[in-house]
Amino acid sequence: MDDVKIGEILLPGEESEQEKRARKVKAGFWPTFRKAVRQMPLSRDVVAGFYCAIDPTSPRRVRGILLAALAYFVLPFDAIPDILAVVGFSDDIAVLAAAISAVRAHLQPWHYERADKALADPETAG
């Protein structure tokens, strides 16, 4: 996946677009994450990113970038079908890694604390 494609995906978007993405991400994050977790090297960062994206105190641009990446992860259409073992989530991982890298300074300790709790007890997450 080239930088241009990732750059297009990670555009924060207008506020109305962010709200639509937020609804889709909240509805689909945990089921999709549970399918991908074994193949995802940055699981803790992705879950912390989820909590940062839904945190109203996070800057709008940060939320927009994370919501765009998480929407790409959650939505069923993407460049490589997720049903293909290992390869299927590689494009999602690239997009998520780029988003996490772009906003890492805004991931707060409490985002990681919530991520650790969710990863330790997946039944209570979501």
Side-chain angles (χ1 to χ4, degrees), residues 43-44 47-48 51 110-120:
S43 297
R44 184 174 184 250
V47 177
Y51 286 119
W110 62 87
H111 297 140
Y112 281 103
E113 289 168 12
R114 287 188 71 187
D116 291 340
K117 285 180 188 173
L119 290 168

Side-chain angles (χ1 to χ4, degrees), residues 33 39-47 93-94 96-98 100 104:
F33 182 79
Q39 301 170 39
M40 193 172 299
L42 52 140
S43 297
R44 184 174 184 250
D45 288 322
V46 171
V47 177
I93 292 168
L96 289 167
I100 297 295
R104 185 168 301 282

Side-chain angles (χ1 to χ4, degrees), residues 2-108:
D2 59 29
D3 290 338
V4 174
K5 178 77 171 171
I6 290 174
E8 291 171 9
I9 293 167
L10 296 181
L11 290 174
E14 297 297 319
E15 196 155 346
S16 61
E17 180 66 25
Q18 283 188 20
E19 289 171 14
K20 285 193 290 190
R21 286 178 179 164
R23 284 192 299 276
K24 290 176 183 174
V25 166
K26 285 179 183 178
F29 178 77
W30 290 109
T32 305
F33 182 79
R34 286 183 185 104
K35 285 189 275 184
V37 72
R38 288 185 203 97
Q39 301 170 39
M40 193 172 299
L42 52 140
S43 297
R44 184 174 184 250
D45 288 322
V46 171
V47 177
F50 169 76
Y51 286 119
C52 183
I54 63 171
D55 180 353
T57 65
S58 295
R60 184 175 170 270
R61 178 168 167 67
V62 169
R63 292 181 72 209
I65 289 170
L66 289 169
L67 287 170
L70 290 166
Y72 184 82
F73 174 63
V74 168
L75 295 175
F77 57 88
D78 59 28
I80 303 172
D82 295 337
I83 58 171
L84 298 174
V86 183
V87 177
F89 284 106
S90 63
D91 59 324
D92 300 293
I93 292 168
V95 169
L96 289 167
I100 297 295
S101 177
V103 302
R104 185 168 301 282
H106 296 281
L107 294 175
Q108 301 298 322

